[in-house]
Amino acid sequence: MKKYVYFFDEGKGDMKSILGGKGAGLAEMTRIGLPVPQGFTITTEVCVEYYKNEKKYPQGLEEQIEENLKKLEKVSKKAFGDSKNPLLVSVRSGALISMPGMMDTVLNLGLNDVTILGIVEKTKNERFAYDSYRRFMQMFGNVVLGIEHDKFEYLLEGLKKEFKVKLDTEIDCEGLKILVERYKKLIKKETGEDFPQEPKAQLKMAIDAVFNSWNTKRAVTYRRINKISDDLGTAVNVQEMVFGNMGEDSGTGVGFTRNPSTGEKEDYGEYLLNAQGEDVVAGIRTPLPLSNLKNDSLEVHEELIKIVTLLEKHYRDVQDYEFTIEKGKLYLLQTRTGKRTAQAALKIAVDMVEEGIINKEEAILRVDPNQLNQLLHRRIDPKAKVEVIAKGLPASPGAAYGKVVFTADEAEELGKKGEKVILVRSETTPDDIHGMVEAQGVLTSRGGMTSHAAVVARGMGKACVAGCSALNINTKKGIISVNDLVIKKDEFITIDGGTGEVFMGKVPTIEPKMSKEFETLLSWANKIKRLGVYANADTPEDAKKARELGAEGIGLTRTEHMFMQQDRLPIVQKMIMADTLKSRAEALEKLLPVQKGDFLGILKAMEGLPVIIRLLDPPLHEFLPNLEDTLIEVTTLKLKNIDSAELAKKEKLLEIIKSLHEMNPMLGLRGCRLGLLYPEIYDMQVEAIIDAAIELTKKGINVKPEIMIPLVSHINEFRPICKRTRKIADEKIKSAGVKLEYKVGTMIELPRAALTADKIAEEAEFFSFGTNDLTQTTFGISRDDAEGKFLLKYVEEKILEENPFEVLDREGVGELVKIGTKLGRKTRPNLEVGICGEHGGEPQSVEFCHSVGLNYVSCSPFRVPIARLAAAQAVIKRKDIK
Amino acid sequence: MKKYVYFFDEGKGDMKSILGGKGAGLAEMTRIGLPVPQGFTITTEVCVEYYKNEKKYPQGLEEQIEENLKKLEKVSKKAFGDSKNPLLVSVRSGALISMPGMMDTVLNLGLNDVTILGIVEKTKNERFAYDSYRRFMQMFGNVVLGIEHDKFEYLLEGLKKEFKVKLDTEIDCEGLKILVERYKKLIKKETGEDFPQEPKAQLKMAIDAVFNSWNTKRAVTYRRINKISDDLGTAVNVQEMVFGNMGEDSGTGVGFTRNPSTGEKEDYGEYLLNAQGEDVVAGIRTPLPLSNLKNDSLEVHEELIKIVTLLEKHYRDVQDYEFTIEKGKLYLLQTRTGKRTAQAALKIAVDMVEEGIINKEEAILRVDPNQLNQLLHRRIDPKAKVEVIAKGLPASPGAAYGKVVFTADEAEELGKKGEKVILVRSETTPDDIHGMVEAQGVLTSRGGMTSHAAVVARGMGKACVAGCSALNINTKKGIISVNDLVIKKDEFITIDGGTGEVFMGKVPTIEPKMSKEFETLLSWANKIKRLGVYANADTPEDAKKARELGAEGIGLTRTEHMFMQQDRLPIVQKMIMADTLKSRAEALEKLLPVQKGDFLGILKAMEGLPVIIRLLDPPLHEFLPNLEDTLIEVTTLKLKNIDSAELAKKEKLLEIIKSLHEMNPMLGLRGCRLGLLYPEIYDMQVEAIIDAAIELTKKGINVKPEIMIPLVSHINEFRPICKRTRKIADEKIKSAGVKLEYKVGTMIELPRAALTADKIAEEAEFFSFGTNDLTQTTFGISRDDAEGKFLLKYVEEKILEENPFEVLDREGVGELVKIGTKLGRKTRPNLEVGICGEHGGEPQSVEFCHSVGLNYVSCSPFRVPIARLAAAQAVIKRKDIK
């Protein structure tokens, strides 16, 4: 006959598929000789057959349960239904993957009007016994019998009124006895049957309830969303109850094998004598530190430490365990992998390698790359008590506090005086840069993850919360209102750009901290990873920071950010508004040395490493004041009858803004389209790059500039720009008489470019997937518009599993990355291919990039360590799969 | 030895690859016994070897030319360099594909100081002889010797001044003799050599010039752009000159084998006696109609008609021929396929089938589908003399004239009085519909092919020129200025929506005309084509028109156009501005019967045929007034200190407009995203469709509604909407107790939908590729922004071969259509797949749709005949390829 029930000593840790996660864990602890309250597991196969056969159990199951129950009575030396020494058990579900919506736990099963006497006797605590009984009835009534929880609560509340007490704990033993009787009546009324007194009947009903909970609507929905097969089934675990509240020789506690905050190897945990598990966390009595157990009369400390050390070695990771001491005897109730801070994760991983417990590959897999963010930015002190007043988009990580100011000028003024300020605006424009520079952080009520504020703040490494639509900013009155709360100018607020949260007042923040373990682990990662990790950097400072954090090149320098700086913007605006080619040329001539200066700094900082510089990308109107504001100004001037030069000037400006205005600027006149329409702009940029490179080469500095053309959809767009670029560059290099190599390549950020990559690779020497724009066009979603309006809802409602602007959409966008890479390399086998969208610093996306054979990922400087770690993990994970 | 030179009687029509197009044609006419001035062709292979061997001719070529020249002298009974009876020849290039940028023609080669005397003698016209001589020198000097054309012109102009005459024709024979001498000096000065007097030397130099012209920059560029291989090479044709100006027994003429305007089988052409070819077209003397030749003493009419009838039969198509009579002897100089009007093309194709000259398949291939447009819309009378004052986008075909009006109200007022008006606006909005209805046509200065004006006008079948940026519209002053021209209100203008042209005044237009041949040819097409041809129609009138023109279903009904009608817009706006779900529900309830009415009409008109109805697609702000106007109104009201209810109302409106405002509405909150956010809107639409279908079914009318969900990018967007739709529909059908079948499907208009079509087909019963939006997202180009700003330039400069919004881009967008179709059918083998973008009525795109196995194309009603014809051609062409 098929084996449907496993006693804990018959199973093993690797039998998860039939014993479920919990059952396999209990079996494993039993197998390695740990003291675990004994019991047995009914396999997942029973569940599968139950549903196959119209809810009939397989033949022989009943007998096997009976046998195992007998064995349990024998091992525990207790008996089901015994009035002296009753066996009580817990019944728990346990699928392969833990799943909300299923029946969780029934404790104290086996209690009835007879066995309660045995418990009273053994615990010497009548009140505890009856409290356990009424809790058992409540739990059983609700989860097994399906009676609404509220109906039990109603009786409980009524009783408290009668007894004139407020808390459950204030009900005395007599009260609880009355409650038990009332519960019995309730159950009779609701089910038409008496509360089952027979422990075996209780057990059978509880097992039925677990199996039936497999197909509740909530569980089915959860499985559908999480793509878990309906055919897995759940197991049922029946385990002897043990009690830590049987007197001063009993107790209960929790612990970690290492300190989960720091990673130090030390006793870490708490315990209470004569208590049950929930008392430790309830906070009524103050638990003692675990180290105290040493001095205790119980003499279990040594055993406990021996056991959990064994456990850690066995599971080869930090364990978070629960234990109970029943009358001097130690039991392990649970062990699981311990959660830890980033700092601890690093230390533990590195220490365990040094202790010979795990190898370097395993150590690398042990740290969640996303956690590293904690270590790289100033953050809210986890010990601080905080109250969130609003939440926006986490636009640029880091935490900062400062006085509220509403204009860039105020921010600059106060900032220069050394005061900390947060610049609060509905949205920022290039005119606000000087204020952003001096502010600790930026908070906006409009705009998304790619809004001006967000992009500029990320570039500056400054905290930013964007699109916080709950804020009602009234600049004139100098106040922000959030629901009923009013924040005045000069009051302090705190923002957390990593979570998007906004707080009142000064919330303490803590410094980023990079430990020696951080360096060690990342040095191991570097040896394993195959992907290059580049950084996106627009300034020499960013480039230096990126190099410090391990960047192996610059994957994206956005030249337009250089245009946006306050001293340059007027020249740029002049260039855009030029009536003639001549006046445009004049403006460009002024920009040339400025751009060259930028490139000198970046190329020098990245000596010996490639620097990919993208020519101007955004539509020109982004450099001009916005249409609405200008329209209001002109209307106002007109109505005031001020027919002055001022009006004429503003009208001219308005006309130009209107002529450049676009319905869908994202899909408009930008990127290479600008380069084809105004070749003189790209010419100037190419000159500046090559001039800078030549100057450095002459000084003996090895530079590797790569020029990147944005927004190409057709090889015929790329070809003429590439040709013109090479002509300018080659002539300059020749006349300078230096040896300087450079490349010309393109962004692949439009579906058409990916689909025709074989043609584009005929000319382009490298590809860089711009997955931000590629996601926008592949999905047909404007990120700026969507994130506030429907995209977050999409993620909440699981229409999309992830925000595709955060985690690369493998199915759609990823398919284009694959197609583009394959076609590109068909034409040019050694084509250098990378990505420079924000996905380049997101671990799942990095793994994808590795899996499709890209050469590098490029991300913001502070995400370089994350990408390095994720790249190494990708190698290791995929080796595992092989 | 290899044969490098073919005498005309040695070649054949199918030897184009070695003789070139022209040479093969001359050989073919010779072969079938037509009187052609004789000569020989030097093959393209010579050209190829010439370039292979560093511009050396292959061995033996010289001898072969010599031999053929001897043969020519013998056949013509003339001799090279003879003073009595000189042989003169023309030298022409002739590649497989005719190509600009190559040397075209040198006439009268063989003339020199000696042979000219023979010509004087034979023509009895000394002036003509010397004019021929100086022309030969000029042509030879320029194209063979490479002397700038201007230098000859300078001498010519100088001479005219000396002789005090204005026209070339006023120079007398003495003057021409002087000019010849001056030309000789010029040539000596420029080349250092005398003008070559030896005819054989002239010939050799001319042949060299032809071969060298194969590699001029212009020719190379042309080949690159048109993807013509550089390895084809050109042939050289050397042909005896004949002269129609040798007296009254000579003459020259041109003719068509059938009337190219009407298609009638009749004598059609003109001739002149004692004249050269160019005289017929120069207009100095009035040519006689060809039928006159009958009455002439020359007695060549019968022979000519016999010959050209033979030619037509031989080439199996209407021929456009040139002939010369030299001293009573008839020569055919050229024959080519005759160009014809749409009407003629139809008649000729059908007649030729009836005459047994061609079969039906050939007849179908003979008509250019695009030409049919001429027959379906009112158009500018081709006989009218017109002056174009501006050009915009050809947004909706048809020609119309009317008085200029600037507001919809004026248009309505005058229109209702029966006056013809053209509504001129910078751009139209839903508020203008009532004026558009009454206008003859619409002219806008802003907006593209998908602007409001364009889309609505196409829907109404009304002429529209959009985005005519040369117009400066001043509504206040009531004038339009175009450069220096000023057009006042109430003045007449004419627009041609098929070409985008705008004219002053009333230009006569002609009615569309559908002949019996039109019906015949399209009935043949229907039997051959395999693609279904559906129409896009938003009103019952459109649907009826479409059915008349042969539509086999409605592929796209845009429900939003129903929302835009003047009586509905206020309800729609109320719905959008609703504060509560309740007030939205009230507005929707009012819309329900209105929408139902629309569907009743369309479904009834299409009885028995499928009608695909798309649920609401555009962003809601499209139904509200525009942001800029409202901003100006609010600013104005504020400044005027009118703190009234009016201001409050406008401010509320502005707030809503702002909250709905999007950076990139094309990629914003629209389509199924709206349906997921406001399910009540789609619910109402589904109810209206199903209610209408049930009502008709009850009346015994067979209806086939198909409900289409727009802008799906992920199956998870489609699934819940589809489910909700089915629930509503099934309940209604069940409770009505009727048998009614319907389908639920989706647009594939985003790259991601195409890439994941296998998943989407799990739920969707049909796909309709929305290639307008798919082109926008695949290219990352906003059509509205691009067409005015860079797209036309792209096409002009051949960056793109075609405007991808007119002709489907096969390489990129087409690849997605292929992928989507293949994946969709992998999941659902019988999936119905069509396209409903504007490409559905464009012949090349229709052919593509056929080739990838779509089930149908859908286009605007007036393009249905075009699509039917194109679909049949696709079948025939591809059979040919097999």
Side-chain angles (χ1 to χ4, degrees), chain B residues 164-301:
Chain B
K164 300 198 167 87
V165 297
K166 281 192 174 163
L167 301 175
D168 293 5
T169 50
E170 292 169 333
I171 307 171
D172 66 12
C173 189
E174 290 316 303
L176 292 171
K177 283 181 182 169
I178 295 169
L179 195 58
V180 165
E181 293 311 310
R182 289 185 185 168
Y183 278 3
K184 282 184 190 163
K185 274 186 203 140
L186 173 66
I187 288 168
K188 171 88 190 193
K189 189 178 150 225
E190 290 289 324
T191 65
E193 308 268 349
D194 283 324
F195 172 73
Q197 287 285 332
E198 174 55 48
K200 281 188 188 167
Q202 291 173 358
L203 181 62
K204 191 179 174 325
M205 289 167 83
I207 292 169
D208 288 352
V210 172
F211 285 134
N212 286 324
S213 73
W214 175 253
N215 261 4
T216 58
K217 205 177 153 198
R218 221 176 119 206
V220 171
T221 307
Y222 182 88
R223 286 201 293 276
R224 189 171 54 67
I225 291 171
N226 290 281
K227 300 195 176 111
I228 298 170
S229 165
D230 287 336
D231 299 339
L232 292 177
T234 182
V236 181
N237 297 294
V238 178
Q239 187 177 24
E240 185 195 353
M241 295 287 303
V242 288
F243 297 92
N245 53 351
M246 287 203 175
E248 289 302 312
D249 59 349
S250 299
T252 191
V254 296
F256 279 79
T257 54
R258 303 188 187 217
N259 184 323
S261 289
T262 64
E264 290 295 334
K265 202 170 177 180
E266 63 190 16
D267 270 5
Y268 187 94
E270 297 174 324
Y271 74 104
L272 272 175
L273 291 184
N274 196 14
Q276 271 212 316
E278 56 190 44
D279 299 332
V280 179
V281 284
I284 297 166
R285 287 157 60 195
T286 306
L288 300 166
L290 205 57
S291 55
N292 224 54
L293 200 58
K294 254 192 296 224
N295 317 320
D296 216 287
S297 59
L298 282 178
E299 293 177 358
V300 293
H301 182 258

Side-chain angles (χ1 to χ4, degrees), chain A residues 659 663-667 673 677 716-717 750 752 778-782 785 789 793-794 799 809 811, chain B residues 659 663-667 673 677 716-717 750 752 778-782 785 789 793-794 799 809 811:
Chain A
S659 76
M663 301 277 292
N664 299 291
M666 155 75 204
L667 309 176
R673 298 163 194 172
L677 224 58
N716 288 352
E717 292 175 311
L750 298 172
R752 197 183 189 287
T778 305
F779 272 91
I781 288 182
S782 164
D785 297 311
K789 281 186 180 149
K793 183 187 148 90
Y794 265 34
I799 291 171
D809 160 53
E811 199 175 71
Chain B
S659 77
M663 302 277 290
N664 300 291
M666 156 75 204
L667 309 176
R673 299 164 193 170
L677 224 59
N716 289 352
E717 292 176 311
L750 298 173
R752 198 183 188 286
T778 304
F779 273 91
I781 287 182
S782 164
D785 297 310
K789 280 186 181 150
K793 183 187 148 89
Y794 265 34
I799 291 171
D809 160 53
E811 201 175 69

Side-chain angles (χ1 to χ4, degrees), chain A residues 99-102 213-225:
Chain A
M99 198 183 305
M102 279 176 54
S213 73
W214 175 253
N215 261 5
T216 56
K217 205 177 153 197
R218 221 176 121 208
V220 170
T221 307
Y222 182 87
R223 285 201 294 276
R224 190 171 55 65
I225 291 171

Side-chain angles (χ1 to χ4, degrees), chain A residues 224 427 446 622 627-629 631-632 635-637 639-640 658-670 672-673 676-677 711 713-717 719-720 750-753 755-756 759 776-786 789-790 793-794 797-801 809-813 815-816 819, chain B residues 224 427 446 622 627-629 631-632 635-637 639-640 658-670 672-673 676-677 711 713-717 719-720 750-753 755-756 759 776-786 789-790 793-794 797-801 809-813 815-816 819:
Chain A
R224 190 171 55 65
E427 51 190 341
R446 276 199 276 172
E622 283 200 8
L627 174 59
E628 292 169 39
D629 293 345
L631 196 60
I632 292 175
T635 309
T636 307
L637 285 173
L639 277 166
K640 287 189 174 161
K658 275 192 172 174
S659 76
L660 290 175
H661 183 71
E662 294 181 310
M663 301 277 292
N664 299 291
M666 155 75 204
L667 309 176
L669 181 51
R670 46 173 289 233
C672 67
R673 298 163 194 172
L676 287 163
L677 224 58
L711 214 73
S713 69
H714 195 294
I715 172 66
N716 288 352
E717 292 175 311
R719 198 179 271 123
L750 298 172
R752 197 183 189 287
L755 293 165
T756 62
K759 306 228 162 46
Q776 298 200 80
T777 45
T778 305
F779 272 91
I781 288 182
S782 164
R783 184 174 188 181
D784 280 328
D785 297 311
K789 281 186 180 149
F790 62 89
K793 183 187 148 90
Y794 265 34
E797 296 189 356
K798 291 273 175 199
I799 291 171
L800 296 178
E801 277 186 55
D809 160 53
R810 299 178 182 208
E811 199 175 71
V813 179
E815 185 63 25
L816 287 176
I819 292 173
Chain B
R224 189 171 54 67
E427 52 190 340
R446 277 198 275 173
E622 283 200 8
L627 173 61
E628 292 168 39
D629 293 346
L631 197 60
I632 292 175
T635 309
T636 307
L637 285 173
L639 278 166
K640 287 189 176 163
K658 273 192 173 174
S659 77
L660 291 174
H661 183 71
E662 294 181 309
M663 302 277 290
N664 300 291
M666 156 75 204
L667 309 176
L669 182 52
R670 46 173 289 232
C672 66
R673 299 164 193 170
L676 287 164
L677 224 59
L711 214 73
S713 69
H714 195 294
I715 172 64
N716 289 352
E717 292 176 311
R719 199 180 270 123
L750 298 173
R752 198 183 188 286
L755 293 165
T756 61
K759 306 226 162 48
Q776 298 199 78
T777 45
T778 304
F779 273 91
I781 287 182
S782 164
R783 184 174 187 181
D784 280 329
D785 297 310
K789 280 186 181 150
F790 63 88
K793 183 187 148 89
Y794 265 34
E797 295 190 358
K798 291 274 174 198
I799 291 171
L800 296 178
E801 276 185 58
D809 160 53
R810 298 175 183 210
E811 201 175 69
V813 179
E815 185 63 25
L816 286 175
I819 292 172

Side-chain angles (χ1 to χ4, degrees), chain A residues 492-716:
Chain A
F492 273 91
I493 60 170
T494 304
I495 60 174
D496 184 343
T499 62
E501 290 165 327
V502 181
F503 315 91
M504 270 308 290
K506 291 191 207 180
V507 178
T509 60
I510 54 176
E511 271 291 338
K513 195 168 159 185
M514 270 173 274
S515 58
K516 108 178 142 9
E517 286 85 5
F518 183 97
E519 299 294 343
T520 306
L521 193 83
L522 284 173
S523 73
W524 295 344
N526 263 25
K527 277 181 199 136
I528 289 167
K529 76 180 178 60
R530 283 200 295 275
L531 268 178
V533 175
Y534 291 14
N536 301 346
D538 304 339
T539 63
E541 295 72 41
D542 283 358
K544 272 177 216 144
K545 186 81 208 167
R547 195 161 194 167
E548 262 172 55
L549 291 169
E552 297 153 308
I554 298 299
L556 176 63
T557 292
R558 283 161 292 221
T559 52
E560 58 269 20
H561 289 167
M562 303 170 178
F563 279 25
M564 293 235 180
Q565 288 178 36
Q566 212 198 351
D567 53 336
R568 302 161 187 196
L569 199 56
I571 314 176
V572 174
Q573 292 181 343
K574 212 169 198 172
M575 186 268 288
I576 294 170
M577 295 175 63
D579 286 328
T580 63
L581 216 62
K582 188 164 160 282
S583 56
R584 174 169 299 127
E586 280 166 12
L588 285 168
E589 210 165 308
K590 278 187 199 151
L591 283 173
L592 178 62
V594 184
Q595 283 248 301
K596 184 182 159 191
D598 296 321
F599 299 135
L600 274 175
I602 295 174
L603 287 168
K604 198 174 159 192
M606 298 306 288
E607 179 172 6
L609 299 176
V611 175
I612 301 179
I613 299 166
R614 182 176 74 186
L615 302 186
L616 192 70
D617 184 45
L620 294 181
H621 49 74
E622 283 200 8
F623 300 99
L624 298 181
N626 95 31
L627 174 59
E628 292 169 39
D629 293 345
T630 315
L631 196 60
I632 292 175
E633 284 183 57
V634 168
T635 309
T636 307
L637 285 173
K638 268 187 184 167
L639 277 166
K640 287 189 174 161
N641 268 321
I642 304 172
D643 200 12
S644 64
E646 173 69 7
L647 175 60
K649 209 174 119 193
K650 285 281 176 194
E651 278 190 314
K652 170 88 196 288
L653 177 65
L654 181 61
E655 195 186 304
I656 290 174
I657 295 174
K658 275 192 172 174
S659 76
L660 290 175
H661 183 71
E662 294 181 310
M663 301 277 292
N664 299 291
M666 155 75 204
L667 309 176
L669 181 51
R670 46 173 289 233
C672 67
R673 298 163 194 172
L674 274 178
L676 287 163
L677 224 58
Y678 306 107
E680 56 278 12
I681 300 178
Y682 276 15
D683 288 355
M684 180 277 285
Q685 296 197 299
V686 172
E687 281 187 46
I689 294 166
I690 299 296
D691 282 350
I694 289 174
E695 188 173 320
L696 292 169
T697 305
K698 282 184 176 167
K699 287 184 185 158
I701 296 168
N702 175 17
V703 295
K704 299 183 169 177
E706 305 191 4
I707 297 170
M708 181 156 73
I709 317 296
L711 214 73
V712 166
S713 69
H714 195 294
I715 172 66
N716 288 352

